[in-house]
PDB file of all heavy atoms in Angstrom:
ATOM      1  N   PRO W   1       0.786  -1.239   0.000  1.00 95.00           N
ATOM      2  CA  PRO W   1       0.000   0.000   0.000  1.00 95.00           C
ATOM      3  C   PRO W   1       0.817   1.289   0.000  1.00 95.00           C
ATOM      4  O   PRO W   1       0.381   2.303  -0.526  1.00 95.00           O
ATOM      5  CB  PRO W   1      -0.824  -0.121   1.297  1.00 95.00           C
ATOM      6  CG  PRO W   1      -0.957  -1.591   1.511  1.00 95.00           C
ATOM      7  CD  PRO W   1       0.335  -2.185   1.037  1.00 95.00           C
ATOM      8  N   ASN W   2       2.018   1.265   0.563  1.00 94.00           N
ATOM      9  CA  ASN W   2       2.856   2.466   0.562  1.00 94.00           C
ATOM     10  C   ASN W   2       3.878   2.449  -0.572  1.00 94.00           C
ATOM     11  O   ASN W   2       4.843   3.218  -0.565  1.00 94.00           O
ATOM     12  CB  ASN W   2       3.593   2.585   1.900  1.00 94.00           C
ATOM     13  CG  ASN W   2       4.522   1.403   2.154  1.00 94.00           C
ATOM     14  OD1 ASN W   2       4.317   0.318   1.609  1.00 94.00           O
ATOM     15  ND2 ASN W   2       5.544   1.602   2.974  1.00 94.00           N
ATOM     16  N   GLY W   3       3.641   1.569  -1.548  1.00 98.00           N
ATOM     17  CA  GLY W   3       4.639   1.334  -2.584  1.00 98.00           C
ATOM     18  C   GLY W   3       4.444   2.143  -3.853  1.00 98.00           C
ATOM     19  O   GLY W   3       3.706   3.141  -3.892  1.00 98.00           O
ATOM     20  N   PHE W   4       5.095   1.658  -4.929  1.00 98.00           N
ATOM     21  CA  PHE W   4       5.154   2.402  -6.187  1.00 98.00           C
ATOM     22  C   PHE W   4       4.999   1.458  -7.377  1.00 98.00           C
ATOM     23  O   PHE W   4       5.541   0.359  -7.376  1.00 98.00           O
ATOM     24  CB  PHE W   4       6.499   3.130  -6.312  1.00 98.00           C
ATOM     25  CG  PHE W   4       6.782   4.108  -5.216  1.00 98.00           C
ATOM     26  CD1 PHE W   4       7.346   3.673  -4.016  1.00 98.00           C
ATOM     27  CD2 PHE W   4       6.474   5.447  -5.361  1.00 98.00           C
ATOM     28  CE1 PHE W   4       7.610   4.570  -2.989  1.00 98.00           C
ATOM     29  CE2 PHE W   4       6.732   6.350  -4.346  1.00 98.00           C
ATOM     30  CZ  PHE W   4       7.301   5.911  -3.149  1.00 98.00           C
ATOM     31  N   LEU W   5       4.287   1.929  -8.395  1.00 98.00           N
ATOM     32  CA  LEU W   5       4.196   1.251  -9.688  1.00 98.00           C
ATOM     33  C   LEU W   5       4.682   2.201 -10.760  1.00 98.00           C
ATOM     34  O   LEU W   5       4.197   3.334 -10.856  1.00 98.00           O
ATOM     35  CB  LEU W   5       2.756   0.819  -9.986  1.00 98.00           C
ATOM     36  CG  LEU W   5       2.503   0.287 -11.401  1.00 98.00           C
ATOM     37  CD1 LEU W   5       3.302  -0.985 -11.666  1.00 98.00           C
ATOM     38  CD2 LEU W   5       1.010   0.034 -11.632  1.00 98.00           C
ATOM     39  N   ILE W   6       5.644   1.748 -11.564  1.00 98.00           N
ATOM     40  CA  ILE W   6       6.134   2.513 -12.722  1.00 98.00           C
ATOM     41  C   ILE W   6       5.780   1.680 -13.945  1.00 98.00           C
ATOM     42  O   ILE W   6       6.385   0.633 -14.200  1.00 98.00           O
ATOM     43  CB  ILE W   6       7.658   2.759 -12.651  1.00 98.00           C
ATOM     44  CG1 ILE W   6       8.020   3.462 -11.333  1.00 98.00           C
ATOM     45  CG2 ILE W   6       8.124   3.586 -13.823  1.00 98.00           C
ATOM     46  CD1 ILE W   6       8.697   2.581 -10.345  1.00 98.00           C
ATOM     47  N   ILE W   7       4.789   2.123 -14.700  1.00 98.00           N
ATOM     48  CA  ILE W   7       4.247   1.315 -15.792  1.00 98.00           C
ATOM     49  C   ILE W   7       4.513   1.983 -17.139  1.00 98.00           C
ATOM     50  O   ILE W   7       4.364   3.203 -17.293  1.00 98.00           O
ATOM     51  CB  ILE W   7       2.730   1.064 -15.586  1.00 98.00           C
ATOM     52  CG1 ILE W   7       2.180   0.108 -16.647  1.00 98.00           C
ATOM     53  CG2 ILE W   7       1.940   2.368 -15.536  1.00 98.00           C
ATOM     54  CD1 ILE W   7       0.774  -0.397 -16.331  1.00 98.00           C
ATOM     55  N   HIS W   8       4.939   1.179 -18.095  1.00 98.00           N
ATOM     56  CA  HIS W   8       5.203   1.698 -19.441  1.00 98.00           C
ATOM     57  C   HIS W   8       3.917   2.242 -20.048  1.00 98.00           C
ATOM     58  O   HIS W   8       2.854   1.635 -19.940  1.00 98.00           O
ATOM     59  CB  HIS W   8       5.760   0.567 -20.315  1.00 98.00           C
ATOM     60  CG  HIS W   8       6.372   1.044 -21.595  1.00 98.00           C
ATOM     61  ND1 HIS W   8       5.623   1.489 -22.655  1.00 98.00           N
ATOM     62  CD2 HIS W   8       7.672   1.150 -21.973  1.00 98.00           C
ATOM     63  CE1 HIS W   8       6.426   1.837 -23.642  1.00 98.00           C
ATOM     64  NE2 HIS W   8       7.680   1.643 -23.243  1.00 98.00           N
ATOM     65  N   GLU W   9       4.009   3.393 -20.663  1.00 97.00           N
ATOM     66  CA  GLU W   9       2.837   3.988 -21.307  1.00 97.00           C
ATOM     67  C   GLU W   9       2.295   3.095 -22.416  1.00 97.00           C
ATOM     68  O   GLU W   9       3.048   2.419 -23.117  1.00 97.00           O
ATOM     69  CB  GLU W   9       3.200   5.358 -21.915  1.00 97.00           C
ATOM     70  CG  GLU W   9       3.178   6.485 -20.921  1.00 97.00           C
ATOM     71  CD  GLU W   9       3.197   7.839 -21.612  1.00 97.00           C
ATOM     72  OE1 GLU W   9       3.713   7.941 -22.748  1.00 97.00           O
ATOM     73  OE2 GLU W   9       2.705   8.805 -21.020  1.00 97.00           O
ATOM     74  N   GLY W  10       0.968   3.091 -22.572  1.00 94.00           N
ATOM     75  CA  GLY W  10       0.331   2.449 -23.712  1.00 94.00           C
ATOM     76  C   GLY W  10       0.081   0.970 -23.579  1.00 94.00           C
ATOM     77  O   GLY W  10      -0.314   0.326 -24.564  1.00 94.00           O
ATOM     78  N   LEU W  11       0.286   0.380 -22.401  1.00 95.00           N
ATOM     79  CA  LEU W  11       0.035  -1.047 -22.248  1.00 95.00           C
ATOM     80  C   LEU W  11      -1.467  -1.336 -22.209  1.00 95.00           C
ATOM     81  O   LEU W  11      -2.249  -0.542 -21.704  1.00 95.00           O
ATOM     82  CB  LEU W  11       0.676  -1.585 -20.963  1.00 95.00           C
ATOM     83  CG  LEU W  11       2.191  -1.396 -20.812  1.00 95.00           C
ATOM     84  CD1 LEU W  11       2.680  -2.179 -19.603  1.00 95.00           C
ATOM     85  CD2 LEU W  11       2.942  -1.814 -22.061  1.00 95.00           C
ATOM     86  N   GLU W  12      -1.837  -2.510 -22.748  1.00 92.00           N
ATOM     87  CA  GLU W  12      -3.245  -2.904 -22.744  1.00 92.00           C
ATOM     88  C   GLU W  12      -3.756  -3.228 -21.344  1.00 92.00           C
ATOM     89  O   GLU W  12      -4.918  -3.060 -21.032  1.00 92.00           O
ATOM     90  CB  GLU W  12      -3.464  -4.123 -23.649  1.00 92.00           C
ATOM     91  CG  GLU W  12      -3.640  -3.793 -25.118  1.00 92.00           C
ATOM     92  CD  GLU W  12      -4.208  -4.976 -25.882  1.00 92.00           C
ATOM     93  OE1 GLU W  12      -5.421  -5.243 -25.752  1.00 92.00           O
ATOM     94  OE2 GLU W  12      -3.426  -5.638 -26.603  1.00 92.00           O
ATOM     95  N   MET W  13      -2.899  -3.727 -20.484  1.00 91.00           N
ATOM     96  CA  MET W  13      -3.329  -4.110 -19.139  1.00 91.00           C
ATOM     97  C   MET W  13      -3.748  -2.876 -18.339  1.00 91.00           C
ATOM     98  O   MET W  13      -3.209  -1.790 -18.512  1.00 91.00           O
ATOM     99  CB  MET W  13      -2.221  -4.844 -18.388  1.00 91.00           C
ATOM    100  CG  MET W  13      -1.028  -3.968 -18.089  1.00 91.00           C
ATOM    101  SD  MET W  13      -0.259  -3.991 -16.455  1.00 91.00           S
ATOM    102  CE  MET W  13      -1.475  -4.274 -15.290  1.00 91.00           C
ATOM    103  N   LYS W  14      -4.725  -3.053 -17.479  1.00 91.00           N
ATOM    104  CA  LYS W  14      -5.195  -1.984 -16.615  1.00 91.00           C
ATOM    105  C   LYS W  14      -4.789  -2.313 -15.181  1.00 91.00           C
ATOM    106  O   LYS W  14      -5.271  -3.292 -14.607  1.00 91.00           O
ATOM    107  CB  LYS W  14      -6.727  -1.833 -16.700  1.00 91.00           C
ATOM    108  CG  LYS W  14      -7.231  -1.603 -18.119  1.00 91.00           C
ATOM    109  CD  LYS W  14      -6.625  -0.355 -18.744  1.00 91.00           C
ATOM    110  CE  LYS W  14      -7.121  -0.162 -20.183  1.00 91.00           C
ATOM    111  NZ  LYS W  14      -6.350   0.894 -20.892  1.00 91.00           N
ATOM    112  N   PRO W  15      -3.887  -1.535 -14.588  1.00 96.00           N
ATOM    113  CA  PRO W  15      -3.444  -1.847 -13.234  1.00 96.00           C
ATOM    114  C   PRO W  15      -4.567  -1.707 -12.218  1.00 96.00           C
ATOM    115  O   PRO W  15      -5.535  -0.972 -12.438  1.00 96.00           O
ATOM    116  CB  PRO W  15      -2.328  -0.823 -12.982  1.00 96.00           C
ATOM    117  CG  PRO W  15      -2.587   0.287 -13.943  1.00 96.00           C
ATOM    118  CD  PRO W  15      -3.233  -0.342 -15.144  1.00 96.00           C
ATOM    119  N   ASP W  16      -4.408  -2.404 -11.112  1.00 96.00           N
ATOM    120  CA  ASP W  16      -5.416  -2.394 -10.051  1.00 96.00           C
ATOM    121  C   ASP W  16      -4.679  -2.321  -8.722  1.00 96.00           C
ATOM    122  O   ASP W  16      -4.630  -3.290  -7.965  1.00 96.00           O
ATOM    123  CB  ASP W  16      -6.279  -3.664 -10.138  1.00 96.00           C
ATOM    124  CG  ASP W  16      -7.366  -3.703  -9.084  1.00 96.00           C
ATOM    125  OD1 ASP W  16      -7.734  -2.639  -8.564  1.00 96.00           O
ATOM    126  OD2 ASP W  16      -7.835  -4.821  -8.766  1.00 96.00           O
ATOM    127  N   VAL W  17      -4.092  -1.161  -8.449  1.00 97.00           N
ATOM    128  CA  VAL W  17      -3.233  -1.026  -7.279  1.00 97.00           C
ATOM    129  C   VAL W  17      -4.047  -0.755  -6.018  1.00 97.00           C
ATOM    130  O   VAL W  17      -5.174  -0.255  -6.074  1.00 97.00           O
ATOM    131  CB  VAL W  17      -2.196   0.098  -7.478  1.00 97.00           C
ATOM    132  CG1 VAL W  17      -1.263  -0.230  -8.641  1.00 97.00           C
ATOM    133  CG2 VAL W  17      -2.872   1.444  -7.706  1.00 97.00           C
ATOM    134  N   GLN W  18      -3.452  -1.100  -4.881  1.00 96.00           N
ATOM    135  CA  GLN W  18      -4.090  -0.836  -3.602  1.00 96.00           C
ATOM    136  C   GLN W  18      -4.043   0.657  -3.275  1.00 96.00           C
ATOM    137  O   GLN W  18      -3.233   1.415  -3.830  1.00 96.00           O
ATOM    138  CB  GLN W  18      -3.370  -1.617  -2.495  1.00 96.00           C
ATOM    139  CG  GLN W  18      -3.381  -3.124  -2.674  1.00 96.00           C
ATOM    140  CD  GLN W  18      -2.725  -3.828  -1.510  1.00 96.00           C
ATOM    141  OE1 GLN W  18      -3.178  -3.713  -0.372  1.00 96.00           O
ATOM    142  NE2 GLN W  18      -1.667  -4.584  -1.782  1.00 96.00           N
ATOM    143  N   GLU W  19      -4.896   1.058  -2.366  1.00 95.00           N
ATOM    144  CA  GLU W  19      -4.902   2.455  -1.920  1.00 95.00           C
ATOM    145  C   GLU W  19      -3.551   2.789  -1.299  1.00 95.00           C
ATOM    146  O   GLU W  19      -2.987   1.996  -0.537  1.00 95.00           O
ATOM    147  CB  GLU W  19      -6.018   2.663  -0.892  1.00 95.00           C
ATOM    148  CG  GLU W  19      -6.210   4.120  -0.494  1.00 95.00           C
ATOM    149  CD  GLU W  19      -7.396   4.312   0.436  1.00 95.00           C
ATOM    150  OE1 GLU W  19      -8.196   3.357   0.607  1.00 95.00           O
ATOM    151  OE2 GLU W  19      -7.523   5.407   0.995  1.00 95.00           O
ATOM    152  N   GLY W  20      -3.027   3.948  -1.663  1.00 97.00           N
ATOM    153  CA  GLY W  20      -1.734   4.373  -1.133  1.00 97.00           C
ATOM    154  C   GLY W  20      -0.566   4.102  -2.043  1.00 97.00           C
ATOM    155  O   GLY W  20       0.550   4.580  -1.798  1.00 97.00           O
ATOM    156  N   VAL W  21      -0.782   3.333  -3.129  1.00 98.00           N
ATOM    157  CA  VAL W  21       0.296   3.074  -4.095  1.00 98.00           C
ATOM    158  C   VAL W  21       0.405   4.258  -5.052  1.00 98.00           C
ATOM    159  O   VAL W  21      -0.594   4.703  -5.636  1.00 98.00           O
ATOM    160  CB  VAL W  21       0.037   1.779  -4.886  1.00 98.00           C
ATOM    161  CG1 VAL W  21       1.043   1.628  -6.032  1.00 98.00           C
ATOM    162  CG2 VAL W  21       0.112   0.571  -3.972  1.00 98.00           C
ATOM    163  N   THR W  22       1.599   4.783  -5.205  1.00 98.00           N
ATOM    164  CA  THR W  22       1.859   5.872  -6.157  1.00 98.00           C
ATOM    165  C   THR W  22       2.154   5.273  -7.527  1.00 98.00           C
ATOM    166  O   THR W  22       3.047   4.420  -7.651  1.00 98.00           O
ATOM    167  CB  THR W  22       3.051   6.725  -5.703  1.00 98.00           C
ATOM    168  OG1 THR W  22       2.781   7.247  -4.399  1.00 98.00           O
ATOM    169  CG2 THR W  22       3.297   7.878  -6.671  1.00 98.00           C
ATOM    170  N   THR W  23       1.419   5.700  -8.541  1.00 98.00           N
ATOM    171  CA  THR W  23       1.602   5.173  -9.895  1.00 98.00           C
ATOM    172  C   THR W  23       2.230   6.216 -10.799  1.00 98.00           C
ATOM    173  O   THR W  23       1.753   7.359 -10.873  1.00 98.00           O
ATOM    174  CB  THR W  23       0.261   4.708 -10.493  1.00 98.00           C
ATOM    175  OG1 THR W  23      -0.283   3.672  -9.673  1.00 98.00           O
ATOM    176  CG2 THR W  23       0.448   4.162 -11.899  1.00 98.00           C
ATOM    177  N   TYR W  24       3.305   5.838 -11.473  1.00 98.00           N
ATOM    178  CA  TYR W  24       3.971   6.683 -12.460  1.00 98.00           C
ATOM    179  C   TYR W  24       3.950   5.975 -13.813  1.00 98.00           C
ATOM    180  O   TYR W  24       3.834   4.748 -13.889  1.00 98.00           O
ATOM    181  CB  TYR W  24       5.440   6.918 -12.087  1.00 98.00           C
ATOM    182  CG  TYR W  24       5.689   7.715 -10.837  1.00 98.00           C
ATOM    183  CD1 TYR W  24       6.242   7.107  -9.703  1.00 98.00           C
ATOM    184  CD2 TYR W  24       5.418   9.082 -10.775  1.00 98.00           C
ATOM    185  CE1 TYR W  24       6.517   7.834  -8.548  1.00 98.00           C
ATOM    186  CE2 TYR W  24       5.686   9.826  -9.626  1.00 98.00           C
ATOM    187  CZ  TYR W  24       6.230   9.188  -8.520  1.00 98.00           C
ATOM    188  OH  TYR W  24       6.489   9.908  -7.384  1.00 98.00           O
ATOM    189  N   THR W  25       4.109   6.755 -14.877  1.00 98.00           N
ATOM    190  CA  THR W  25       4.278   6.185 -16.213  1.00 98.00           C
ATOM    191  C   THR W  25       5.689   6.488 -16.717  1.00 98.00           C
ATOM    192  O   THR W  25       6.353   7.410 -16.226  1.00 98.00           O
ATOM    193  CB  THR W  25       3.262   6.765 -17.217  1.00 98.00           C
ATOM    194  OG1 THR W  25       3.438   8.196 -17.288  1.00 98.00           O
ATOM    195  CG2 THR W  25       1.841   6.445 -16.786  1.00 98.00           C
ATOM    196  N   TYR W  26       6.141   5.680 -17.685  1.00 98.00           N
ATOM    197  CA  TYR W  26       7.432   5.961 -18.310  1.00 98.00           C
ATOM    198  C   TYR W  26       7.400   5.535 -19.763  1.00 98.00           C
ATOM    199  O   TYR W  26       6.577   4.713 -20.180  1.00 98.00           O
ATOM    200  CB  TYR W  26       8.584   5.280 -17.564  1.00 98.00           C
ATOM    201  CG  TYR W  26       8.824   3.824 -17.905  1.00 98.00           C
ATOM    202  CD1 TYR W  26       9.870   3.441 -18.745  1.00 98.00           C
ATOM    203  CD2 TYR W  26       8.014   2.815 -17.372  1.00 98.00           C
ATOM    204  CE1 TYR W  26      10.100   2.100 -19.041  1.00 98.00           C
ATOM    205  CE2 TYR W  26       8.243   1.472 -17.667  1.00 98.00           C
ATOM    206  CZ  TYR W  26       9.290   1.130 -18.501  1.00 98.00           C
ATOM    207  OH  TYR W  26       9.523  -0.195 -18.804  1.00 98.00           O
ATOM    208  N   ASN W  27       8.279   6.110 -20.541  1.00 97.00           N
ATOM    209  CA  ASN W  27       8.429   5.796 -21.962  1.00 97.00           C
ATOM    210  C   ASN W  27       9.696   6.482 -22.438  1.00 97.00           C
ATOM    211  O   ASN W  27      10.287   7.291 -21.704  1.00 97.00           O
ATOM    212  CB  ASN W  27       7.212   6.271 -22.758  1.00 97.00           C
ATOM    213  CG  ASN W  27       7.020   5.495 -24.048  1.00 97.00           C
ATOM    214  OD1 ASN W  27       7.937   4.840 -24.535  1.00 97.00           O
ATOM    215  ND2 ASN W  27       5.822   5.560 -24.616  1.00 97.00           N
ATOM    216  N   ARG W  28      10.088   6.194 -23.665  1.00 96.00           N
ATOM    217  CA  ARG W  28      11.293   6.846 -24.186  1.00 96.00           C
ATOM    218  C   ARG W  28      11.090   8.348 -24.323  1.00 96.00           C
ATOM    219  O   ARG W  28      11.962   9.129 -23.934  1.00 96.00           O
ATOM    220  CB  ARG W  28      11.664   6.234 -25.539  1.00 96.00           C
ATOM    221  CG  ARG W  28      12.811   6.938 -26.245  1.00 96.00           C
ATOM    222  CD  ARG W  28      13.331   6.125 -27.401  1.00 96.00           C
ATOM    223  NE  ARG W  28      14.240   6.866 -28.258  1.00 96.00           N
ATOM    224  CZ  ARG W  28      15.122   6.319 -29.076  1.00 96.00           C
ATOM    225  NH1 ARG W  28      15.220   5.007 -29.142  1.00 96.00           N
ATOM    226  NH2 ARG W  28      15.905   7.044 -29.836  1.00 96.00           N
ATOM    227  N   ALA W  29       9.939   8.775 -24.853  1.00 95.00           N
ATOM    228  CA  ALA W  29       9.754  10.188 -25.183  1.00 95.00           C
ATOM    229  C   ALA W  29       8.678  10.889 -24.370  1.00 95.00           C
ATOM    230  O   ALA W  29       8.481  12.093 -24.515  1.00 95.00           O
ATOM    231  CB  ALA W  29       9.435  10.330 -26.680  1.00 95.00           C
ATOM    232  N   SER W  30       7.943  10.152 -23.520  1.00 95.00           N
ATOM    233  CA  SER W  30       6.869  10.787 -22.759  1.00 95.00           C
ATOM    234  C   SER W  30       6.617   9.991 -21.482  1.00 95.00           C
ATOM    235  O   SER W  30       7.226   8.946 -21.266  1.00 95.00           O
ATOM    236  CB  SER W  30       5.584  10.846 -23.592  1.00 95.00           C
ATOM    237  OG  SER W  30       5.168   9.554 -23.987  1.00 95.00           O
ATOM    238  N   GLY W  31       5.710  10.480 -20.652  1.00 97.00           N
ATOM    239  CA  GLY W  31       5.440   9.834 -19.376  1.00 97.00           C
ATOM    240  C   GLY W  31       6.077  10.612 -18.241  1.00 97.00           C
ATOM    241  O   GLY W  31       6.843  11.569 -18.456  1.00 97.00           O
ATOM    242  N   ASP W  32       5.779  10.224 -17.015  1.00 98.00           N
ATOM    243  CA  ASP W  32       6.361  10.910 -15.860  1.00 98.00           C
ATOM    244  C   ASP W  32       7.879  10.803 -15.877  1.00 98.00           C
ATOM    245  O   ASP W  32       8.586  11.768 -15.559  1.00 98.00           O
ATOM    246  CB  ASP W  32       5.813  10.292 -14.561  1.00 98.00           C
ATOM    247  CG  ASP W  32       4.312  10.450 -14.427  1.00 98.00           C
ATOM    248  OD1 ASP W  32       3.814  11.577 -14.627  1.00 98.00           O
ATOM    249  OD2 ASP W  32       3.629   9.445 -14.151  1.00 98.00           O
ATOM    250  N   PHE W  33       8.393   9.620 -16.225  1.00 98.00           N
ATOM    251  CA  PHE W  33       9.835   9.426 -16.429  1.00 98.00           C
ATOM    252  C   PHE W  33      10.064   9.257 -17.941  1.00 98.00           C
ATOM    253  O   PHE W  33       9.421   8.418 -18.572  1.00 98.00           O
ATOM    254  CB  PHE W  33      10.322   8.164 -15.716  1.00 98.00           C
ATOM    255  CG  PHE W  33      10.170   8.179 -14.215  1.00 98.00           C
ATOM    256  CD1 PHE W  33       9.038   7.651 -13.614  1.00 98.00           C
ATOM    257  CD2 PHE W  33      11.173   8.694 -13.405  1.00 98.00           C
ATOM    258  CE1 PHE W  33       8.897   7.641 -12.233  1.00 98.00           C
ATOM    259  CE2 PHE W  33      11.048   8.691 -12.024  1.00 98.00           C
ATOM    260  CZ  PHE W  33       9.899   8.162 -11.429  1.00 98.00           C
ATOM    261  N   HIS W  34      10.960  10.034 -18.523  1.00 98.00           N
ATOM    262  CA  HIS W  34      11.264   9.875 -19.949  1.00 98.00           C
ATOM    263  C   HIS W  34      12.627  10.491 -20.266  1.00 98.00           C
ATOM    264  O   HIS W  34      13.308  11.018 -19.373  1.00 98.00           O
ATOM    265  CB  HIS W  34      10.170  10.494 -20.826  1.00 98.00           C
ATOM    266  CG  HIS W  34      10.024  11.981 -20.692  1.00 98.00           C
ATOM    267  ND1 HIS W  34       9.249  12.579 -19.729  1.00 98.00           N
ATOM    268  CD2 HIS W  34      10.552  12.996 -21.416  1.00 98.00           C
ATOM    269  CE1 HIS W  34       9.287  13.886 -19.855  1.00 98.00           C
ATOM    270  NE2 HIS W  34      10.087  14.170 -20.871  1.00 98.00           N
ATOM    271  N   ALA W  35      13.015  10.410 -21.531  1.00 98.00           N
ATOM    272  CA  ALA W  35      14.298  10.949 -21.981  1.00 98.00           C
ATOM    273  C   ALA W  35      14.079  12.157 -22.880  1.00 98.00           C
ATOM    274  O   ALA W  35      13.099  12.220 -23.622  1.00 98.00           O
ATOM    275  CB  ALA W  35      15.081   9.881 -22.735  1.00 98.00           C
ATOM    276  N   GLU W  36      14.987  13.098 -22.785  1.00 98.00           N
ATOM    277  CA  GLU W  36      15.011  14.239 -23.698  1.00 98.00           C
ATOM    278  C   GLU W  36      16.444  14.471 -24.152  1.00 98.00           C
ATOM    279  O   GLU W  36      17.394  13.960 -23.554  1.00 98.00           O
ATOM    280  CB  GLU W  36      14.466  15.508 -23.008  1.00 98.00           C
ATOM    281  CG  GLU W  36      12.971  15.481 -22.747  1.00 98.00           C
ATOM    282  CD  GLU W  36      12.440  16.776 -22.137  1.00 98.00           C
ATOM    283  OE1 GLU W  36      13.266  17.699 -21.900  1.00 98.00           O
ATOM    284  OE2 GLU W  36      11.228  16.859 -21.873  1.00 98.00           O
ATOM    285  N   ASN W  37      16.575  15.237 -25.244  1.00 98.00           N
ATOM    286  CA  ASN W  37      17.897  15.617 -25.745  1.00 98.00           C
ATOM    287  C   ASN W  37      18.766  14.384 -25.994  1.00 98.00           C
ATOM    288  O   ASN W  37      19.920  14.310 -25.569  1.00 98.00           O
ATOM    289  CB  ASN W  37      18.573  16.584 -24.756  1.00 98.00           C
ATOM    290  CG  ASN W  37      19.832  17.222 -25.311  1.00 98.00           C
ATOM    291  OD1 ASN W  37      19.983  17.361 -26.532  1.00 98.00           O
ATOM    292  ND2 ASN W  37      20.738  17.617 -24.433  1.00 98.00           N
ATOM    293  N   ILE W  38      18.202  13.393 -26.700  1.00 96.00           N
ATOM    294  CA  ILE W  38      18.925  12.146 -26.986  1.00 96.00           C
ATOM    295  C   ILE W  38      19.973  12.389 -28.067  1.00 96.00           C
ATOM    296  O   ILE W  38      19.661  12.925 -29.135  1.00 96.00           O
ATOM    297  CB  ILE W  38      17.948  11.045 -27.438  1.00 96.00           C
ATOM    298  CG1 ILE W  38      16.923  10.754 -26.326  1.00 96.00           C
ATOM    299  CG2 ILE W  38      18.695   9.769 -27.808  1.00 96.00           C
ATOM    300  CD1 ILE W  38      15.795   9.833 -26.761  1.00 96.00           C
ATOM    301  N   ARG W  39      21.206  11.977 -27.782  1.00 94.00           N
ATOM    302  CA  ARG W  39      22.295  12.122 -28.750  1.00 94.00           C
ATOM    303  C   ARG W  39      22.900  10.744 -29.031  1.00 94.00           C
ATOM    304  O   ARG W  39      23.392  10.083 -28.107  1.00 94.00           O
ATOM    305  CB  ARG W  39      23.374  13.041 -28.172  1.00 94.00           C
ATOM    306  CG  ARG W  39      22.977  14.524 -28.123  1.00 94.00           C
ATOM    307  CD  ARG W  39      23.542  15.207 -26.893  1.00 94.00           C
ATOM    308  NE  ARG W  39      22.728  14.944 -25.711  1.00 94.00           N
ATOM    309  CZ  ARG W  39      23.115  15.229 -24.465  1.00 94.00           C
ATOM    310  NH1 ARG W  39      24.307  15.749 -24.236  1.00 94.00           N
ATOM    311  NH2 ARG W  39      22.311  14.976 -23.443  1.00 94.00           N
ATOM    312  N   ILE W  40      22.826  10.320 -30.302  1.00 88.00           N
ATOM    313  CA  ILE W  40      23.353   9.022 -30.713  1.00 88.00           C
ATOM    314  C   ILE W  40      24.417   9.239 -31.788  1.00 88.00           C
ATOM    315  O   ILE W  40      24.146   9.840 -32.836  1.00 88.00           O
ATOM    316  CB  ILE W  40      22.234   8.107 -31.269  1.00 88.00           C
ATOM    317  CG1 ILE W  40      21.153   7.887 -30.200  1.00 88.00           C
ATOM    318  CG2 ILE W  40      22.804   6.765 -31.726  1.00 88.00           C
ATOM    319  CD1 ILE W  40      19.961   7.083 -30.681  1.00 88.00           C
ATOM    320  N   GLY W  41      25.625   8.777 -31.540  1.00 76.00           N
ATOM    321  CA  GLY W  41      26.691   8.922 -32.527  1.00 76.00           C
ATOM    322  C   GLY W  41      28.037   8.536 -31.954  1.00 76.00           C
ATOM    323  O   GLY W  41      28.239   8.546 -30.735  1.00 76.00           O
ATOM    324  N   ASN W  42      28.964   8.185 -32.827  1.00 70.00           N
ATOM    325  CA  ASN W  42      30.314   7.794 -32.426  1.00 70.00           C
ATOM    326  C   ASN W  42      30.302   6.666 -31.392  1.00 70.00           C
ATOM    327  O   ASN W  42      31.136   6.624 -30.489  1.00 70.00           O
ATOM    328  CB  ASN W  42      31.078   9.003 -31.857  1.00 70.00           C
ATOM    329  CG  ASN W  42      31.255  10.109 -32.874  1.00 70.00           C
ATOM    330  OD1 ASN W  42      31.547   9.847 -34.045  1.00 70.00           O
ATOM    331  ND2 ASN W  42      31.058  11.347 -32.455  1.00 70.00           N
TER     332      ASN W  42
END
């Protein structure tokens, strides 16, 4: 109940967390946790 769920954005499953669980989303480009200013090279 005092825990955390970090779930990938866009999943078909619907979470069913207990009261008191903090839920966040994540993805490469969006969500509560995500990446910006990605640099790929060398």
Side-chain angles (χ1 to χ4, degrees):
N2 62 336
F4 301 85
L5 171 63
I6 304 107
I7 186 168
H8 194 286
E9 278 194 333
L11 302 189
E12 276 195 75
M13 66 135 327
K14 304 301 179 191
D16 181 22
V17 297
Q18 299 183 61
E19 187 175 349
V21 171
T22 302
T23 300
Y24 294 112
T25 59
Y26 82 103
N27 204 342
R28 174 167 169 159
S30 59
D32 298 312
F33 297 93
H34 64 274
E36 289 183 359
N37 190 26
I38 299 171
R39 287 144 279 168
I40 301 176
N42 298 319

